[in-house]
Amino acid sequence: MGLKKAVYEDELLRLQTELIKLQEWVRAEGARLVVVFEGRDAAGKGGTIKRVAEHLNPRVARITALPTPTERERSQWYFQRYVEHLPAAGEIVLFDRSWYNRAGVEHVMGFCTPAEHRLFLRQCPVFEHMLVEDGILLRKYWFSVSDAVQEERFRARAKDPLRRWKLSPMDLESLTRWEAYSRAKDEMLVHTDTADAPWYVVESDDKRSARLNMIAHLLSSLPYADVALPSLTLPPRPPSTGYQRPPKDLQNAVPDHASTLGND
């Protein structure tokens, strides 16, 4: 049985309050934090990222979800286009999928050659060692979902007009390649679960528990502390100097759609 909604929401709010403290610590210390979210389609990565970023300052914490590489990017060193999205001092970057595309979808779907895949598995630990050695705080989370729950979520998305866009032909293909993706994930973990940058697996058949578990772990893994913030006092509003707003009929107003709705 999953968490009750009230219990989930209370703990989520507490953790999100801690994420604000983490954000202020990152900014004050000039830290650089990278959080990688990977996992199967419909494993709950997007919903978790949304809850992590929900109350954070977008000038400090940003979500990076790169599109399909261009022809020019395909000719670059594989990691090159990800490097430019890494954080500067005082920034947090949440990668909604990352350079690990090469170990998963590209490998399984044949979008890269076997030689490119092998090269990635050799270079990735070196690349991540360089990031960590340079002082970047790197956390990697793999969201694991069972085949039955994945299919259930796909069916729910197909019926929901607000989430139908999340269901792509690539997602549907993953249903028929479940074991291929499993083998690719296992091989990826063997090569890239290192002391410098370990993988943390989030069991996500229960979305609420997965979100809380991931956020709580992230917070527990970082040496953040409360940062003293400057006190804020609203200044008194100065007396009027006679300004009057121009007549509203001189401006293009948005129609009052809300007034047409029932309010019973």
Side-chain angles (χ1 to χ4, degrees), residues 68-69 73-74 76 78 82 99-121 170 177 181 184 187:
T68 302
E73 287 171 333
R74 287 192 184 97
Q76 296 173 343
Y78 177 72
Y82 294 99
W99 46 89
Y100 282 100
N101 278 336
R102 176 134 295 178
V105 64
E106 289 190 18
H107 174 51
V108 173
M109 298 301 295
F111 297 153
C112 68
T113 67
E116 288 172 330
H117 177 242
R118 289 193 298 270
L119 181 62
F120 171 83
L121 293 178
M170 200 74 67
R177 297 178 184 249
Y181 273 106
E187 186 176 13

Side-chain angles (χ1 to χ4, degrees), residues 38 103 114 144 186:
E38 291 287 348
S144 181
D186 292 343

